[in-house]
PDB file of all heavy atoms in Angstrom:
ATOM      1  N   ASP A  40      51.871  -9.456  91.378  1.00 73.00           N
ATOM      2  CA  ASP A  40      51.760  -8.977  92.752  1.00 73.00           C
ATOM      3  C   ASP A  40      50.729  -7.850  92.771  1.00 73.00           C
ATOM      4  O   ASP A  40      51.059  -6.676  92.629  1.00 73.00           O
ATOM      5  CB  ASP A  40      53.119  -8.487  93.254  1.00 73.00           C
ATOM      6  CG  ASP A  40      53.082  -7.984  94.683  1.00 73.00           C
ATOM      7  OD1 ASP A  40      52.001  -7.985  95.299  1.00 73.00           O
ATOM      8  OD2 ASP A  40      54.140  -7.587  95.187  1.00 73.00           O
ATOM      9  N   PHE A  41      49.448  -8.215  92.909  1.00 67.00           N
ATOM     10  CA  PHE A  41      48.378  -7.221  92.835  1.00 67.00           C
ATOM     11  C   PHE A  41      48.333  -6.295  94.047  1.00 67.00           C
ATOM     12  O   PHE A  41      47.839  -5.187  93.950  1.00 67.00           O
ATOM     13  CB  PHE A  41      47.023  -7.897  92.647  1.00 67.00           C
ATOM     14  CG  PHE A  41      46.836  -8.407  91.251  1.00 67.00           C
ATOM     15  CD1 PHE A  41      46.850  -9.771  90.987  1.00 67.00           C
ATOM     16  CD2 PHE A  41      46.678  -7.542  90.195  1.00 67.00           C
ATOM     17  CE1 PHE A  41      46.692 -10.242  89.706  1.00 67.00           C
ATOM     18  CE2 PHE A  41      46.525  -7.999  88.896  1.00 67.00           C
ATOM     19  CZ  PHE A  41      46.533  -9.359  88.653  1.00 67.00           C
ATOM     20  N   ILE A  50      52.106  -2.848  87.671  1.00 72.00           N
ATOM     21  CA  ILE A  50      52.105  -4.301  87.840  1.00 72.00           C
ATOM     22  C   ILE A  50      53.527  -4.783  88.079  1.00 72.00           C
ATOM     23  O   ILE A  50      54.442  -4.478  87.314  1.00 72.00           O
ATOM     24  CB  ILE A  50      51.506  -5.010  86.613  1.00 72.00           C
ATOM     25  CG1 ILE A  50      50.045  -4.610  86.436  1.00 72.00           C
ATOM     26  CG2 ILE A  50      51.636  -6.523  86.742  1.00 72.00           C
ATOM     27  CD1 ILE A  50      49.400  -5.170  85.193  1.00 72.00           C
ATOM     28  N   PRO A  64      46.660 -37.490  76.818  1.00 89.00           N
ATOM     29  CA  PRO A  64      46.838 -38.940  76.738  1.00 89.00           C
ATOM     30  C   PRO A  64      47.950 -39.463  77.647  1.00 89.00           C
ATOM     31  O   PRO A  64      47.912 -40.609  78.089  1.00 89.00           O
ATOM     32  CB  PRO A  64      47.193 -39.193  75.272  1.00 89.00           C
ATOM     33  CG  PRO A  64      46.960 -37.936  74.551  1.00 89.00           C
ATOM     34  CD  PRO A  64      46.820 -36.836  75.539  1.00 89.00           C
ATOM     35  N   VAL A 131      53.729 -37.782  89.180  1.00 95.00           N
ATOM     36  CA  VAL A 131      53.477 -37.368  90.559  1.00 95.00           C
ATOM     37  C   VAL A 131      52.001 -37.078  90.835  1.00 95.00           C
ATOM     38  O   VAL A 131      51.589 -36.987  91.994  1.00 95.00           O
ATOM     39  CB  VAL A 131      54.318 -36.135  90.965  1.00 95.00           C
ATOM     40  CG1 VAL A 131      55.799 -36.455  90.890  1.00 95.00           C
ATOM     41  CG2 VAL A 131      53.964 -34.916  90.112  1.00 95.00           C
TER      42      VAL A 131
END
Side-chain angles (χ1 to χ4, degrees):
D40 180 359
F41 285 109
I50 297 175
V131 298

